[in-house]
Amino acid sequence: MRIDIITLFPKLLQSPFEASIVKRAIEGEKVEVVFHDPRDYTVSKYKQVDDAPFGGGAGMVMMIEPIDKCITKLKAERSYDEIIYMTPDGDQLNQPIANECSLKENIIILCGHYKGVDQRVRDHFITREISIGDFVLSGGELAAAVFCDSIIRLIPGVLGNESSALSDSYQDNLLAPPIYTRPASYKGWEVPPILTSGNTPAVELWREEQAFERTQKLRPDLLED
Ligand code: ADE
């Protein structure tokens, strides 16, 4: 997979790609992530990429021309499955969306900043709009980092044990069961004895029951589907 990220603030986005699973995925060439700054595509002397909104109002709007030039150049180099705009009024990110997007070959992610982008960018270039929740961030960068993490970890071969992505919370509409590690007893707080019994089928059954109970208690809405 190749992910091209268009952002005015690449620094806001770098560290999530420089550690842990995502870093390993990049090093293992499972994914390539390339940043693009609209300032590199502006014709203006002062590298202007934003301007005041027509009709007045507070805040600045990202201009269409640098974004158009950047996207057009990328599209001339390869074809893209999706051009995604991170925005609080997009479809709310969930596991099915992450699963679907993890199967794409090439995607562009556009991060808005300030008041957002000129609506014509959304109307003419964007194929999908994604939100990470009903709250407003300063820009799409942190949302893009969350979205990228959620899809990169699902690319086959990225997680050591492929089944570990399948047992995540929200896969199969169930929350994950509780997990424990050594020591089995800590300050008198014991690990459920079934987990140290060595009885694998019984452990599996216990995990399924726990996942169901947890979901029923914390997210009963998931069981309604
Ligand atoms: N940009 C600003 N807020 C956002 C959000 N909640 N999700 C996605 N992009 C955003």
Side-chain angles (χ1 to χ4, degrees):
M1 173 187 273
R2 174 175 163 129
I3 305 176
D4 288 281
I5 303 180
I6 303 174
T7 168
L8 290 172
F9 298 96
K11 270 194 181 162
L12 266 178
L13 259 173
Q14 267 150 10
S15 65
F17 294 94
E18 290 172 358
S20 186
I21 291 164
V22 173
K23 177 186 180 196
R24 245 189 6 240
I26 292 170
E27 286 174 352
E29 298 182 4
K30 305 284 183 206
V31 63
E32 185 182 5
V33 181
V34 185
F35 295 106
H36 306 273
D37 187 338
R39 287 184 196 88
D40 297 334
Y41 295 85
T42 172
V43 284
S44 105
K45 195 165 123 197
Y46 301 104
K47 293 200 174 287
Q48 186 183 0
V49 287
D50 60 343
D51 209 335
F54 277 125
M60 298 292 272
V61 181
M62 286 172 69
M63 298 161 77
I64 189 169
E65 189 180 18
I67 297 171
D68 173 11
K69 288 205 156 77
C70 180
I71 291 177
T72 302
K73 175 176 172 281
L74 289 171
K75 283 171 79 174
E77 291 165 359
R78 68 193 62 73
S79 68
Y80 285 90
D81 304 298
E82 295 277 13
I83 303 180
I84 296 166
Y85 178 50
M86 303 308 301
T87 173
D89 51 13
D91 293 334
Q92 190 153 328
L93 180 60
N94 56 19
Q95 198 60 50
I97 292 178
N99 291 348
E100 185 200 333
C101 292
S102 74
L103 302 172
K104 309 284 182 194
E105 199 59 48
N106 300 314
I107 59 174
I108 294 174
I109 299 175
L110 172 63
C111 304
H113 220 90
Y114 314 120
K115 274 294 193 196
V117 296
D118 187 307
Q119 180 62 38
R120 290 167 293 182
V121 172
R122 299 171 73 164
D123 293 344
H124 298 286
F125 295 104
I126 298 301
T127 61
R128 183 163 205 161
E129 301 191 327
I130 293 180
S131 161
I132 63 161
D134 288 344
F135 46 84
V136 180
L137 299 166
S138 310
E141 285 77 10
L142 298 181
V146 168
F147 173 60
C148 286
D149 188 292
S150 77
I151 62 175
I152 290 172
R153 62 194 300 285
L154 297 173
I155 298 171
V158 166
L159 291 182
N161 175 359
E162 298 234 349
S163 71
S164 72
L166 295 176
S167 62
D168 285 341
S169 281
Y170 298 108
Q171 298 286 13
D172 300 329
N173 271 3
L174 285 178
L175 302 184
I179 49 166
Y180 302 84
T181 187
R182 275 186 279 271
S185 176
Y186 182 74
K187 292 185 174 175
W189 302 324
E190 309 294 336
V191 164
I194 187 83
L195 295 177
T196 52
S197 68
N199 183 343
T200 308
V203 168
E204 279 310 307
L205 186 63
W206 180 86
R207 286 189 171 141
E208 280 169 29
E209 286 166 358
Q210 290 288 318
F212 185 77
E213 275 175 32
R214 251 192 184 186
T215 311
Q216 215 165 28
K217 186 167 167 222
L218 301 172
R219 291 293 308 274
D221 55 301
L222 293 176
L223 297 172
E224 283 160 19
D225 294 341

